[in-house]
Amino acid sequence: MSSHFKRNVSVRGSEKFSKIKVGEPLKDAAGMLGVKAALQHGFKEMGVLKSMKALLDMNQQDGFSCPSCAWPDPENPSPIAEYCENGAKALADEATDKHIGRDFFKQFSVEELSQLNDYQLNKFGRITEPLVLQPDKIHYEPISWQDAYLLISDELKKLNHPDEAIFYTSGRSSNEAAFLYGMFARAFGTNNMPDCSNMCHESSGVALSETLGIGKGSTTLEDLYKAEVVIVAGQNPGTNHPRMLSALEKCKQNGGKVISINPLEESGLVNFKNPQKVKGWIGGGEAMADIHLQVKINQDIPLAKLIIKKLAALDKENKNVFDHDFINTYTNGYEDFIKDLNKYSSDDLLNECGVSEDKINQTVQLLATKSKIIVCWAMGLTQHKNGVETIREFVNLLLLKGAIGKPNSGTCPVRGHSNVQGDRSVGIMHYVNKGLNERIKKHLGFTPPEKEGVDTVGCMEAMHEGKAKIFMALGGNFLMAASDTEYTAKGLQNCELTIQVSTKLNRTHLVTGKTALILPTFGRSEKDMKNGNLRFITIENSMGRVRQSKGLLKPTSEHIKSEPDIIAELAHTHFGKDHPVNWKAMGEDYNLIRKKIDQVAKGFDKTSERSKGVGYYLPNNVRELDFSMLPNGKAQITINRLPEHTLEDHEFMLMTIRSHDQFNTTIYGMDDRYRGIYNERRVLFMNPKDISKYGFKKLDVLNLISNYDDIKRVAHNFKIVPYNIPEGNLAAYFPETNVLIPYNQYADRSRTPISKSIKVSVALADE
């Protein structure tokens, strides 16, 4: 094996511009435009008949779950359109008729492919056979499945210690695949199981565990329908979770109010046209947000404190604003919290958050008389240095109002990928859970490791420092998802072997270890047949309900395998037939996997039977008002510090965002019509006053620069677009801007990257 050969690959791909068109941001979401865009995308990728067949089956009780976001399905799904535009795009993306295999990779080298942008890479289509990139080659070549398993096993056996291997998991995986994968890693001897939740909702898990005793939300979908107030903080449902808008619409029709908190006013919360109703096609739609609080980036804590402080003043007058019976019975820390709150000046908090006092007073008057309150949030709260504290402050608001553990109230972290929550529930975690380890010993017959493994940040460091030599990913596009792109790339390139279980080509297939494998797998919509039987998988949605998913389309190729099959066959190859776990049998019969999940993973019970139809909810202590696992057996009201940001005159606070034509790192198209952007992604949203202040003009080309620990990181070539965003704040799309985020800048305790509050400066690109 040559240690000197180095492939000349581009880590970031093309940074050239397309012919950008900038229009006015749309004033409404979904409706006829959304249906048209969804169908056009589907028809183009997989034809009319295949599109309609699959779309009508998606998110139905006996169908397959959307491969996109984790928003829950209603108990009575619409038979016409129980999907959103982005779900339809995700389906078309995975079920595309475009395929690539040995001939494609013989024609194009990884060096050539790496020069393309991520949109171009994704458009090539589904991978149809297992492939290997040998150490001294620049072209992938076909490899048999058994040879691929033997290659992985041989490299694993060469390691000095199991902790030199890393097993990463994407949220696309099923419960069955994730469970087998996690058990394989533990049987091999490591807890090195970073996963995508480390990069997104880990702050939610930590904050909710500290305050309420469980790292999940407490609400159900039905709770949203009759809530009196729903607060949507740091989230853009119109693009990231469009089906949530239907739930908010029902809430509004039942008399509820919606408060949005976000530096950007997003189309989905301005007006929603429900495509499932005639009014959504020809009418004016439904105005969503009753109050929009345009907070400065990462100033949510001062905003929440100011709201609570004003509520506390009203409560002091009549004692009817806070639920003191609930506080006394179920919470701990109220007196200390009020004492700390009194230290803050209302004027200072107002100045910090940047929201008008009139809007805040409207919010306070609304919340003062309501008790059925739900707080929903996503990355806009989690991906900050103080992400955990920010979420805890909103939990404080709910606890003070007694809006926890009751119908139509509670916490609602809105997860991203469709089974990211399920992955954690079935055992994908880098830390040691003693109860889980005991159940593994009892029911699987081997002793799992007791040393904590690495999370995503630790994984990046281990690869970069040469302490990890094998990186395996169950789905995902790790290079583009992780922070500090150049640093992450060097880490991957330091590995002896990188393995990607994938459906389509992405940049992590091109920036690899010395040897690289691509193991192609089924999409969610494809039939999983074994010995003449149609198999199903299970997932857990964002609100803790487990349900089955069963594909209906013919698989892309006869040479691809399901994720459980791949993991089971790899484990059987590596451990042999004498291992306590019968890996081969579980790969063939998913019911055997589910029986072990029921025994080993907490809360699962009779999953093969109970996951049918609407499925079943996993236990949730908050819904039972059981806080016995917390200090004093009570929910914790916490004291949280204000964010500490010092910006020089020439510095800005940058938040990374998605376009409407992408899901996570997958780029479906080059438009973001909700924000008025067409045919381009390299754009920088900037307040018009800042544009004028620094002498810039619309569509000037800027470089973005971050400087942490005296290391200069640059994202090249972004065109200025004037936008309604607070002064001193900027927004731009990821993954193009991930290069700016240092690997060692993350949220306290959760270690989630600071993707939503990066301190940057800007310079004209020709300077």
Side-chain angles (χ1 to χ4, degrees):
M1 182 179 291
S2 171
S3 60
H4 301 290
F5 181 80
K6 186 175 181 182
R7 301 179 187 101
N8 184 25
V9 293
S10 170
V11 171
R12 304 191 219 174
S14 173
E15 295 176 339
K16 296 178 181 178
F17 291 114
S18 303
K19 293 181 180 179
I20 187 173
K21 176 184 175 184
V22 179
E24 290 296 318
L26 296 187
K27 295 301 183 183
D28 49 60
M32 187 161 40
L33 275 178
V35 173
K36 181 181 177 182
L39 294 179
Q40 282 180 336
H41 202 85
F43 295 168
K44 182 179 179 182
E45 293 293 330
M46 52 181 177
V48 176
L49 293 179
K50 186 177 175 183
S51 294
M52 298 312 299
K53 179 181 178 182
L55 286 170
L56 291 173
D57 195 64
M58 189 159 69
N59 296 325
Q60 301 300 313
Q61 287 186 10
D62 194 40
F64 63 92
S65 292
C66 177
S68 185
C69 80
W71 189 253
D73 303 323
E75 293 189 2
N76 297 300
S78 166
I80 300 173
E82 194 51 65
Y83 55 87
C84 67
E85 178 185 341
N86 269 15
K89 288 178 179 176
L91 169 62
D93 194 68
E94 98 170 7
T96 179
D97 290 332
K98 299 172 185 173
H99 301 156
I100 55 176
R102 64 183 68 193
D103 292 339
F104 174 87
F105 288 100
K106 186 176 182 179
Q107 180 180 358
F108 297 105
S109 71
V110 293
E111 294 179 340
E112 291 174 292
L113 291 169
S114 74
Q115 302 300 318
L116 304 177
N117 62 39
D118 294 281
Y119 167 67
Q120 292 168 319
L121 292 177
N122 183 62
K123 297 305 287 183
F124 285 121
R126 291 286 297 276
I127 301 169
T128 58
E129 59 184 329
L131 300 157
V132 62
L133 182 64
Q134 298 288 2
D136 57 350
K137 300 287 184 66
I138 58 173
H139 287 268
Y140 274 101
E141 299 168 333
I143 185 173
S144 73
W145 280 103
Q146 192 56 38
D147 284 346
Y149 300 143
L150 287 169
L151 172 59
I152 298 169
S153 180
D154 288 346
E155 290 297 322
L156 288 173
K157 289 172 182 175
K158 290 179 186 177
L159 299 179
N160 296 316
H161 191 278
D163 285 341
E164 290 183 333
I166 291 171
F167 299 92
Y168 170 79
T169 314
S170 156
R172 182 181 63 81
S173 308
S174 64
N175 288 333
E176 290 76 10
F179 178 78
L180 277 189
Y181 192 59
M183 296 309 122
F184 172 71
R186 290 180 176 90
F188 178 67
T190 186
N191 283 311
N192 283 351
M193 286 177 279
D195 73 308
C196 59
S197 65
N198 296 153
M199 295 183 271
C200 54
H201 267 291
E202 198 70 44
S203 295
S204 300
V206 172
L208 293 173
S209 296
E210 291 176 350
T211 56
L212 301 176
I214 186 172
K216 302 179 182 182
S218 65
T219 57
T220 68
L221 178 59
E222 291 72 28
D223 284 327
L224 282 161
Y225 299 161
K226 294 185 179 179
E228 294 176 312
V229 180
V230 177
I231 298 174
V232 181
Q235 185 197 359
N236 175 18
T239 286
N240 300 338
H241 310 94
R243 285 197 297 155
M244 180 181 176
L245 297 176
S246 297
L248 294 179
E249 181 185 44
K250 289 182 180 179
C251 174
K252 297 270 294 179
Q253 290 169 349
N254 287 326
K257 302 293 184 182
V258 175
I259 300 170
S260 67
I261 302 175
N262 203 312
L264 303 177
E265 185 178 64
E266 302 286 14
S267 298
L269 289 173
V270 175
N271 194 62
F272 170 55
K273 293 183 175 182
N274 191 336
Q276 296 176 354
K277 299 179 180 179
V278 173
K279 181 181 176 183
W281 287 73
I282 61 175
E286 184 85 39
M288 284 287 107
D290 297 275
I291 302 172
H292 175 62
L293 304 178
Q294 191 171 28
V295 66
K296 294 178 184 175
I297 290 176
N298 194 24
Q299 296 298 337
D300 304 272
I301 289 181
L303 173 61
K305 281 190 184 296
L306 182 54
I307 290 170
I308 295 172
K309 189 175 179 70
K310 287 176 176 284
L311 288 170
L314 293 176
D315 183 72
K316 193 173 182 180
E317 294 175 7
N318 57 34
K319 292 291 182 184
N320 289 325
V321 173
F322 292 161
D323 188 336
H324 290 277
D325 288 341
F326 181 91
I327 291 169
N328 293 333
T329 304
Y330 294 108
T331 75
N332 185 55
Y334 174 72
E335 290 79 8
D336 289 341
F337 172 79
I338 293 298
K339 188 183 298 183
D340 180 76
L341 189 64
N342 289 334
K343 297 177 183 178
Y344 294 96
S345 156
S346 295
D347 289 340
D348 289 344
L349 295 173
L350 183 68
N351 182 61
E352 288 293 319
C353 72
V355 180
S356 75
E357 188 164 22
D358 180 60
K359 288 284 186 74
I360 291 173
N361 287 338
Q362 290 179 43
T363 302
V364 170
Q365 290 301 316
L366 177 60
L367 293 174
T369 59
K370 307 299 182 184
S371 60
K372 296 178 180 180
I373 303 167
I374 292 175
V375 178
C376 304
W377 70 90
M379 307 300 94
L381 295 194
T382 66
Q383 293 179 326
H384 300 285
K385 174 75 173 170
N386 60 345
V388 173
E389 285 75 14
T390 301
I391 295 160
R392 296 199 321 177
E393 198 67 33
F394 281 98
V395 173
N396 285 342
L397 172 63
L398 292 172
L399 290 172
L400 294 170
K401 293 293 298 180
I404 286 285
K406 299 176 181 178
N408 315 119
S409 307
T411 56
C412 182
V414 184
R415 307 283 176 171
H417 221 152
S418 56
N419 198 41
V420 61
Q421 186 160 296
D423 288 352
R424 181 62 55 86
S425 295
V426 299
I428 295 296
M429 60 187 76
H430 64 280
Y431 50 84
V432 178
N433 182 305
K434 291 183 178 180
L436 178 66
N437 278 8
E438 289 171 2
R439 294 189 295 275
I440 290 171
K441 282 185 196 177
K442 180 178 179 180
H443 298 291
L444 293 179
F446 68 87
T447 301
E450 296 184 354
K451 177 190 173 186
E452 183 171 301
V454 295
D455 60 5
T456 295
V457 170
C459 153
M460 293 158 61
E461 292 173 327
M463 292 191 296
H464 198 272
E465 295 168 8
K467 296 177 181 177
K469 297 180 179 173
I470 295 178
F471 174 84
M472 182 171 180
L474 188 64
N477 180 5
F478 185 79
L479 175 60
M480 291 292 97
S483 57
D484 215 337
T485 310
E486 300 284 349
Y487 181 93
T488 303
K490 289 177 182 176
L492 288 166
Q493 291 169 322
N494 282 343
C495 291
E496 293 295 324
L497 174 65
T498 51
I499 308 137
Q500 310 290 322
V501 180
S502 305
T503 56
K504 300 185 75 177
L505 185 65
N506 65 53
R507 194 160 299 280
T508 314
H509 299 138
L510 311 176
V511 181
T512 70
K514 295 180 179 68
T515 304
L517 283 169
I518 302 175
L519 306 181
T521 190
F522 289 166
R524 188 77 58 80
S525 58
E526 291 174 310
K527 284 183 180 178
D528 186 351
M529 301 291 295
K530 194 78 168 186
N531 300 323
N533 296 315
L534 178 59
R535 302 184 290 186
F536 68 87
I537 57 172
T538 60
I539 64 164
E540 178 189 349
N541 68 33
S542 194
M543 294 179 180
R545 179 177 257 165
V546 178
R547 60 154 289 185
Q548 69 171 236
S549 174
K550 188 162 50 181
L552 86 159
L553 299 178
K554 181 181 177 181
T556 293
S557 164
E558 61 182 10
H559 303 297
I560 66 175
K561 292 179 179 287
S562 74
E563 287 181 326
D565 268 336
I566 293 170
I567 300 157
E569 290 175 15
L570 170 60
H572 178 75
T573 301
H574 184 74
F575 293 119
K577 62 182 180 179
D578 296 327
H579 193 266
V581 178
N582 190 339
W583 302 97
K584 194 172 184 66
M586 287 202 289
E588 292 178 351
D589 185 354
Y590 297 171
N591 287 314
L592 296 178
I593 306 176
R594 287 186 281 272
K595 286 179 181 177
K596 292 302 180 184
I597 291 175
D598 291 343
Q599 293 172 328
V600 172
K602 191 174 181 180
F604 288 81
D605 181 45
K606 299 178 181 176
T607 300
S608 286
E609 298 79 27
R610 296 177 67 202
S611 62
K612 295 176 182 177
V614 298
Y616 73 99
Y617 281 109
L618 294 176
N620 190 300
N621 63 281
V622 180
R623 293 172 188 163
E624 305 300 322
L625 287 172
D626 173 16
F627 305 111
S628 57
M629 69 294 296
L630 293 168
N632 299 321
K634 294 187 174 185
Q636 304 295 299
I637 298 175
T638 55
I639 295 173
N640 304 295
R641 297 168 299 169
L642 297 181
E644 297 178 2
H645 293 302
T646 53
L647 294 177
E648 303 297 330
D649 286 343
H650 63 287
E651 290 181 323
F652 297 85
M653 191 62 67
L654 170 73
M655 62 186 286
T656 67
I657 58 176
R658 286 187 200 169
S659 82
H660 192 61
D661 248 357
Q662 76 178 98
F663 180 73
N664 294 342
T665 60
T666 303
I667 313 301
Y668 301 136
M670 298 294 284
D671 295 345
D672 189 0
R673 72 173 190 274
Y674 284 4
R675 299 188 181 105
I677 306 299
Y678 301 89
N679 203 38
E680 186 54 73
R681 290 183 51 81
R682 306 192 72 82
V683 298
L684 181 67
F685 297 104
M686 181 182 284
N687 186 291
K689 292 183 179 178
D690 286 329
I691 296 173
S692 175
K693 176 180 177 181
Y694 291 98
F696 300 137
K697 301 185 300 296
K698 178 181 177 180
L699 299 184
D700 274 353
V701 180
L702 300 182
N703 292 337
L704 308 179
I705 304 131
S706 70
N707 195 327
Y708 289 82
D709 302 323
D710 294 322
I711 298 174
K712 182 179 178 181
R713 296 171 173 86
V714 183
H716 300 281
N717 297 346
F718 289 80
K719 290 190 175 183
I720 296 174
V721 173
Y723 209 78
N724 182 11
I725 186 171
E727 290 180 65
N729 290 179
L730 304 172
Y733 302 128
F734 73 84
E736 290 86 349
T737 46
N738 286 1
V739 65
L740 298 167
I741 309 165
Y743 73 94
N744 59 357
Q745 294 293 319
Y746 42 72
D748 296 331
R749 300 196 299 289
S750 73
R751 289 164 58 93
T752 300
I754 59 165
S755 304
K756 291 293 186 286
S757 52
I758 315 156
K759 189 188 299 185
V760 300
S761 58
V762 299
L764 288 170
D766 57 357
E767 288 185 358

